[in-house]
Amino acid sequence: MKNSVSDRSFYIESSDDEDLEKEIDNEDGNESDSSGLSADNQNHNQPSSYNTAAWPQSYRQSIDMLGSVHSPSIGLLGTPSLARFGSSFLSSSLTRRFTPEAFSSSISKPLLPTVIDDPHKHAPPHSPLGPSLPSRRSSISVRRDDKDKPVVIDSHGLPISRHSTFGQAVVNGINVLCGVGILSTPYAMKEGGWMGLSILMIFAVLSFYTGILLRACLDSRPGLETYPDIGQAAFGAMGRVAISIVLYVELYASCIEYVILESDNLSSLFPRAHISFGGLEINAHLLFAIATALAVLPTVYLRDLSILSYISAGGVVASIVVVLCLFWVGLVDDVGFHGKVTPLNLSSLPVALGLYGFCYSGHAVFPNIYSSMGNQSQFPAVLLTCFGICTLMYAGVAVMGYLMFGESTLSQYTLNLPQDLVASKIAVWTTVVNPFTKYPFKVPTYALTISPVAMSLEEFIPPNHPKSHIYSILIRTGLVFSTLLVGLSVPFFGLMMSLIGSLLTMLVTLILPCVCYLSILRGKVTILQRALCCIVIAVGVVASAFGSFSALKKIVEELSS
């Protein structure tokens, strides 16, 4: 965001819910009506191991938490109802789900619940992806609420938002796209110049197009719901594993950025903070990096992170506050616009490629958002709205910040703001607190970012292992402190962002959607569509190569100096 994928049925606690099962079947598409498919379509790229052993099994539930798809009872602004689900969380996440037994069962439990049922009653229909194709029906059950109304429940016992509205999907999409990248757009403009801003617009258009391609891939065959599902449909089990690794590495790298972000901004607020211990001097940057890791460490042990989705709308508000503070400082506090205008900076333009690319790294969550929509035909309009709003914000901040600070613009414009101004303090503190109150794909709450990685690694723990809970704690602790070590070793926020944007985001956002689309729908792709995909792939490869090389070169230079 699914375990016994060979069993396509799902558990109904009450026999009266058969009508709801039929409704869900119709909503997901008539999967049983596949007898008319040709033999070529049935065997085309059929995965060899799309079953309970397929890794990762935990992707859907973890990315659903990350992307707010399962936020229960989302209102007008995507804010869930605390009154309805608060007590449920307190009784499950902090007690039952956190016991050693719960750790063990959660680790060994596949993503789809194992269903003991009459195999003849719910015989799995044949599909182009093979007999063990997962579907949304496989991971849900139906229960009744206090008013005796059926409620669809996922494998974690949480209500599934299967009918998110247009507005809710837009809020989730903006949460995904509008993250920490907005802090570095002025720096990207400094690195690339005024003309480099056109790269932002180009990436916005191409990213919107590849988002539509992901939707086409999901609609091509029944049961496809996530990015790894698309990879397996296109290239088999190895495709699923390869895409999953890329997505998890991007999440891990985002956690490194989180540590650097907190260290930079807190040290700007308290530059004289230090600790002397046995002749060892710990400066402000090192001190706050360690403090950040220690602060987030307890949160990564939570098994049920659904409570963090209750404050998702605060992330959008926080981003807007930071942007308004920049405009306030420039227009009201008389900081003014004194920056030198550089039309084009070819020497550092590749760094700007990665920075602008990082701004659109939300494609890993788009399939989950699409799967959660009640009216999926509105998905292109959702994407268009999200990309339009976020691009306007990115471009506005880039222009304003570059005009204010010119060639002295730092990797985070909050570090350039005069510290004696109230608006500056608000912006910096909002930036510090923001990762604790939002979870877009780039810098969400640390626990939500690292949990998908941890859950994927926990799948390798043998089922019913007596020390599974200990291994789980060690895995999560090791992930936290490894991000701390990497963040301290390479404490260059802008360059790390450029490297992530060039090396990983170009793959996830531009290259892989086109490659998967051409593979899955190879017999139905028109010449124009094939040409467009080739152009997007070429742009992604060139941007990735030049951006990665330039970012790595500058990182090495910084470390050597």
Side-chain angles (χ1 to χ4, degrees), residues 30-37 125-126:
N30 187 4
E31 297 176 343
S32 62
D33 188 18
S34 60
S35 58
L37 295 175
H126 182 76

Side-chain angles (χ1 to χ4, degrees), residues 325-339:
C325 287
L326 174 67
F327 280 73
W328 183 277
V329 170
L331 298 174
V332 179
D333 288 333
D334 296 328
V335 171
F337 307 101
H338 314 290

Side-chain angles (χ1 to χ4, degrees), residues 384-427:
L384 184 61
T385 303
C386 294
F387 278 101
I389 293 175
C390 292
T391 300
L392 287 176
M393 292 182 62
Y394 285 139
V397 170
V399 173
M400 180 67 71
Y402 184 51
L403 284 176
M404 290 172 60
F405 309 118
E407 296 303 311
S408 63
T409 303
L410 299 176
S411 61
Q412 305 162 58
Y413 72 75
T414 51
L415 303 178
N416 285 105
L417 298 176
Q419 295 298 312
D420 58 326
L421 300 177
V422 174
S424 300
K425 295 183 182 297
I426 293 175

Side-chain angles (χ1 to χ4, degrees), residues 12 41 143 169 177 191 228 242 296 312 317 355 361 379 429 472 552:
I12 304 293
N41 288 337
R143 301 177 185 174
L177 288 174
E191 293 294 299
V296 302
S312 61
V317 175
L355 293 172
S361 57
F379 184 70
W429 275 111
S472 176
L552 285 172

Side-chain angles (χ1 to χ4, degrees), residues 31 36 40 50 71 80 124 128 168 261 370 394 493 509 516 524:
E31 297 176 343
D40 292 338
Y50 209 117
S71 296
Q168 294 164 1
L261 171 75
Y370 174 67
Y394 285 139
F493 183 83
T509 302
C516 291
K524 302 178 181 179

